[in-house]
Amino acid sequence: MAVNKKEDKEKGDPNVIAREKARWEEEVLNKFVQKNPERPERFTTVSDAEIDRLYGPWDLPDFDYLRDLGFPGEYPFTRGVYPTMYRGRLWTMRQFAGFSTAKETNERYKYLLSHGTTGLSVAFHMPTIMGICSSDTRSMGEVGKCGVAIDTLADMEDLFNGIPLDKVTTSMTTNAPASILLCMYIAVAEKQGISSSKIGGTIQNDILKEYIAQKSWIFPPRESMRIITDLLAFAKDKVPRWNTISISGYHIREAGSTAVQELAFTLADGIGYVNAALKAGLTVDEFAPRLSYFFNSHNDFFEEVAKFRAARRMWAKIMKERFNPKDPRSMMLRFHTQTAGCSLAAQQPMNNIIRTTIQALAAVMGGTQSLHTNSLDETLSLPTEEAVTIALRTQQIIADESGVTNTTDPLGGSYFVEALTNRMEEQAFDYINKIDEMGGIISAIENGFPQREIADAAYHYQRQLERGEKIMVGVNKYVMEEDSEIDTLVIDESVEREQKQRLNEVIKKRDNAKVKEELAKLKKAAEGTENVMPHILESVKAYATLQEMTGTLKEVFGEYKDPGYI
Amino acid sequence: MKDDRKLRILIGKPGLDGHDRGVKVVARALRDAGMEVIYTGLHQTPEMIVSAAVQEDVDGVGLSILSGAHNHLFSEVIRLLKEEGADDITVFGGGIIPDDDIMKLKEMGVGAIFTPGDDTDKIVEWIRGNVRPRG
């Protein structure tokens, strides 16, 4: 017995492992590699992070299970935010949809709900996202193209017609006009006889990443933050089940960032919102549990899993160390994931199904709470019904057939995954420290720092693709001459006409004096310190148009213009 | 000697969408290839783009559109260039643009449309072969 114990001890001894590793390298590895050279010179992730040949305990010299991982549902949440994860409840399968008119999108929602979608996710068309109406000249050619056209409350009523808002949760992808669209949703619920305290969902409302990456803004950064803190204060009483900001790395990655940059800039935005809300007089536990995150899932499976795990641990540390919350939910990073649109190719589009599957699997192995899988035709047009069904089925096959949902954080303890998680955390904290030194994320944005870092990474990746250092199957390797024969969705030009007509009807029917009165109150609130949200809600209920409301706020807050960093 | 003049290209982002990854990559690649690049920034109207193109005396205008509004926006830019007597400026572009529309845009006078997956060398080469310095 004594001998066995000694052997056991020796087996785990780092010196013994180091000695054995040196022996293996000399006797086995080197001889082998001489005869069988490795393929490229460098092995790197999608983000160009160098990857070693083999990972082992030597990569985790200070590993402390209880400190670094702990148990799921407990600080630092590395292994998941809930104790049982998918054994208790699967992630929400949320397919982003919206096109053409509200009536047509309403039919797509009913179709998706009847096929097992469990949460709705609204894509708004560009004019709505920019806070302008379908009738404005700048909207010409854009109406209903990239999402659904919403000009007034009447459109929102059509969008959710026959969908009981206490039975579904809805995610709305809108930022600059988020406060207005949330008020429209509340108004629709009230018309359905449902109290706003019963409705649940998420509004993206992440304006900071707009300046960094997605570039759909109305007001300058500091003024936008005022509207957001008003929304946070309003929502805690009025819509307590609502996730008030979905802090989004998705678009940062789509704009060309690396995985580490996505992690760093997104969490830095999170810190920015917490600071702003505290400054506006809220206490941390009043709003932090309703913050959620939204990440991208790219092709590099392990880099993505590590990113999600690092994100959870970093946010828990950031919240605990900087803001000292009492409620553990304030430290919990819950997140939605979308597979990487930027990874898909127009060439051989069927391959996109496979890319999406790998990315979705990474999101699930990383512990996502909600997932959108992209459709195979999205590099060509908005998804057709068939393509979106395959995308949804991809999630269902992972959930019900693959077995990866049977245990919590199945990759936890992998030498590679833990080492990569640690390294990404360290590199992301380096960025966050740099941003702190610049005076926080808003100053960093005003200096163009994240914008330039991302543009550099995007250009670097593009050059790597063009030199063949990064492979895209069907694009720069295994290329085929082909005619694209898949069906695509075409939005008819008549949509624009119909939508303008709809808007005119609403304007004709409403009480214009009432609209004027509510907008005047809104302006007064914006000029002072009164919360703007109740006045937005009243303006919405009077059927003020989106553009009338954003126009009123622009008079006070001004407009933001693209500095055009290259 | 005017053929030795550096090509001046205006890279524009008309319309409302903010997806500027591709346009920035292209702008950098053209600069690296020795061209003079003027980038308009986002959310430009066709009027703003044409007025910048005329003022900056460019040889070519490249438009990047991902929102689906390409038919309207390209035709407006081409119409306004004609109105300004500047239709010798070559117009090209890229984005998420379906094949059927690419044919229509070419008939309309757009020189070339590049789509995701096309590399920047191809774009540079096309510009060198098809955009002539204006007198």
Side-chain angles (χ1 to χ4, degrees), chain A residues 225-379:
Chain A
M225 292 299 270
R226 147 80 191 277
I227 301 174
I228 289 177
T229 50
D230 279 2
L231 187 150
L232 294 177
F234 171 82
K236 75 180 165 60
D237 305 318
K238 183 86 181 168
V239 273
R241 293 178 54 211
W242 203 267
N243 296 313
T244 45
I245 311 179
S246 166
I247 308 160
S248 305
Y250 185 79
H251 316 85
I252 291 175
R253 193 67 180 281
E254 290 291 300
S257 83
T258 63
V260 166
Q261 287 169 348
E262 179 191 352
L263 188 56
F265 298 147
T266 312
L267 296 181
D269 285 346
I271 296 169
Y273 292 119
V274 177
N275 277 326
L278 293 176
K279 224 170 123 190
L282 292 155
T283 63
V284 65
D285 290 321
E286 273 179 332
F287 66 88
R290 303 316 302 173
L291 299 177
S292 65
Y293 276 85
F294 172 21
F295 289 112
N296 198 299
S297 193
H298 211 294
N299 282 335
D300 196 304
F301 184 79
F302 289 104
E303 183 172 55
E304 295 305 293
V305 172
K307 180 184 77 187
F308 301 129
R309 299 174 83 251
R312 265 194 302 272
R313 187 163 71 200
M314 288 176 74
W315 186 241
K317 282 186 195 172
I318 289 167
M319 289 306 286
K320 188 175 183 181
E321 289 164 15
R322 296 187 185 215
F323 304 112
N324 195 27
K326 303 277 171 293
D327 186 343
R329 290 179 310 151
S330 296
M331 294 182 279
M332 241 183 226
L333 181 146
R334 295 164 299 125
F335 68 106
H336 168 70
T337 308
Q338 182 173 339
T339 58
C342 65
S343 74
L344 304 184
Q347 296 83 348
Q348 303 177 30
M350 293 297 173
N351 295 345
N352 293 333
I353 300 174
I354 298 139
R355 295 188 177 101
T356 298
T357 305
I358 293 168
Q359 296 162 9
L361 194 59
V364 170
M365 301 288 245
T368 196
Q369 275 63 65
S370 157
L371 180 61
H372 166 106
T373 32
N374 288 325
S375 299
L376 69 105
D377 53 357
E378 285 184 40
T379 48

Side-chain angles (χ1 to χ4, degrees), chain A residues 126-127 130 140-142 145-146 214-215 217 253-256 347 379 455-456 459 461-463 466 562 564-566, chain B residues 15-18 20-21 24-25 27-29 31-32 39 41-43 67-69 72 96 98 116-117 119-121:
Chain A
M126 284 311 306
M130 295 296 288
M140 281 176 72
E142 311 257 13
K145 287 281 165 62
C146 276
Q214 203 184 15
K215 321 284 171 70
W217 46 58
R253 193 67 180 281
E254 290 291 300
Q347 296 83 348
T379 48
D456 286 347
Y459 191 53
Y461 179 73
Q462 180 64 26
R463 299 303 294 169
E466 292 175 3
D562 184 18
Y565 301 112
I566 296 183
Chain B
L16 301 176
D17 87 273
D20 58 359
R21 173 181 182 160
K24 286 180 166 183
V25 165
R28 280 197 188 198
R31 265 189 195 168
D32 285 357
Y39 173 51
L42 291 162
H43 309 136
S67 69
H72 172 75
I96 306 267
D119 60 50
T120 55
D121 293 340

